Amino acid sequence: MKKTTILYEGKAKKIFNTDDKDLLIAEFKDSLTAFDGKKKDLELGKGALNNKISTELFKLLNKNGVQTHFVDMIDDNNMLHKRCDTILIEVIVRNIATGSLSKNFGIKDGTILPFTLVEFDYKNDKLGDPKLNDQHALLLGLVSDQKELDILRQKAREINDILKPYFKNIGLNLVDFKLEFGKDKDGNIILIDELSPDNCRFWDIDTGESLDKDRFRQGIGGVKLAYEEVLKRILK
Ligand code: 5GP
């Protein structure tokens, strides 16, 4: 499969059209960004790590009956995936309080939540990805109806029910993560984008150490080593 024209360039990936109208290629970039792109850096090899981690996690989800856009890993930095219409909602799943949940609601960092919290953010960089409730999402026409919002929540929980025990088994707490969904050519709502330490928080179960993009957000360093550690444990 060959790249033809570029369709879109985001902060972490370039998306290319291919000679098959139903398939796209995502090229994972080495750039790291945080705080709506205000903090930027380059980490050589990060793109390849995220491509490999996402590939393994998409395969795991596919194996467990969750439909995703993943088709194949082409090489270190490139993934072949289905073309979908992106739903402009970031679905945030949380098992442990930290980040914006702690900041916005005063919940102590590290509190284990009594149930899995699913939130919606409006995927809109210019507006800073504001929080959405169901009525906002319907008002903005981000989905067709309430049923689609219910599907997003249900799929997010289903994915968490697979990933949380999977990561526990490799010594990581899956603290929270961001999912994106799209509609494939048949109108099915399926998981798109990526699943990597760029959009998931992983805390080592024994040490509590962050093995994700918080190392970059907080300027702790060791970003690549942390991503490599996540991949190493996944491949074990
Ligand atoms: P928070 O809302 O606490 O900043 O983020 C919650 C979770 O969603 C974290 O795992 C974070 O990585 C992910 N997340 C939220 N918004 C974004 C975003 O715009 N881009 C990426 N890559 N991840 C996000």
Side-chain angles (χ1 to χ4, degrees):
M1 192 65 54
K2 284 244 160 55
K3 288 176 183 169
T4 56
T5 50
I6 187 155
L7 177 66
Y8 168 78
E9 177 161 5
K11 292 187 291 248
K13 293 183 289 298
K14 289 181 189 171
I15 311 294
F16 293 89
N17 291 302
T18 69
D19 31 29
D20 182 328
K21 69 174 177 27
D22 296 328
L23 297 175
L24 300 174
I25 293 175
E27 182 185 311
F28 284 70
K29 305 199 296 188
D30 287 338
S31 47
L32 271 164
T33 62
F35 312 119
D36 293 325
K38 287 183 204 93
K39 182 172 178 177
K40 285 185 204 156
D41 207 349
L42 206 65
E43 184 72 61
L44 289 182
K46 190 225 45 161
L49 286 162
N50 280 357
N51 187 24
K52 289 173 190 165
I53 292 168
S54 293
T55 291
E56 293 304 319
L57 296 177
F58 280 139
K59 281 185 181 169
L60 172 79
L61 292 174
N62 286 341
K63 208 173 73 188
N64 282 277
V66 176
Q67 277 187 289
T68 77
H69 73 160
F70 175 80
V71 176
D72 198 11
M73 192 178 110
I74 299 173
D75 59 26
D76 275 6
N77 283 80
N78 291 281
M79 177 190 286
L80 185 67
H81 65 76
K82 293 177 197 159
R83 184 192 291 271
C84 290
D85 288 329
T86 302
I87 296 172
L88 295 176
I89 297 177
E90 298 185 344
V91 182
I92 313 287
V93 183
R94 300 181 187 270
N95 296 306
I96 300 176
T98 191
S100 71
L101 182 69
S102 292
K103 192 166 152 250
N104 292 339
F105 297 97
I107 303 174
K108 192 169 176 286
D109 205 284
T111 305
I112 295 170
L113 300 177
F115 56 87
T116 300
L117 185 67
V118 179
E119 304 174 324
F120 294 150
D121 289 356
Y122 183 17
K123 185 175 161 61
N124 185 320
D125 277 345
K126 277 196 201 133
L127 298 175
D129 297 347
K131 288 265 158 261
L132 287 173
N133 66 24
D134 289 25
Q135 286 187 302
H136 292 130
L138 294 170
L139 190 73
L140 293 168
L142 304 181
V143 286
S144 318
D145 54 24
Q146 179 66 43
K147 203 172 133 231
E148 290 191 349
L149 292 172
D150 297 341
I151 291 173
L152 294 182
R153 282 202 182 84
Q154 184 221 319
K155 286 191 182 284
R157 290 186 187 285
E158 206 180 307
I159 291 165
N160 187 53
D161 286 346
I162 296 164
L163 294 183
K164 195 176 143 187
Y166 172 81
F167 279 106
K168 191 169 178 208
N169 199 35
I170 56 172
L172 294 172
N173 270 322
L174 178 59
V175 176
D176 57 28
F177 52 103
K178 184 248 318 175
L179 300 171
E180 292 187 24
F181 292 89
K183 282 188 188 168
D184 69 10
K185 66 177 168 46
D186 302 317
N188 300 308
I189 294 180
I190 67 173
L191 184 66
I192 62 165
D193 194 45
E194 66 178 274
L195 276 172
S196 74
D198 267 12
N199 61 346
C200 304
R201 286 193 174 102
F202 302 115
W203 291 354
D204 183 275
I205 286 180
D206 295 328
T207 65
E209 194 189 7
S210 288
L211 295 174
D212 56 60
K213 199 164 84 170
D214 271 354
R215 302 191 76 88
F216 173 67
R217 295 186 186 102
Q218 296 166 9
I220 307 169
V223 176
K224 192 172 167 192
L225 278 176
Y227 285 38
E228 281 169 349
E229 178 63 23
V230 172
L231 179 62
K232 195 175 102 190
R233 293 193 197 189
I234 287 173
L235 292 178
K236 244 188 205 162

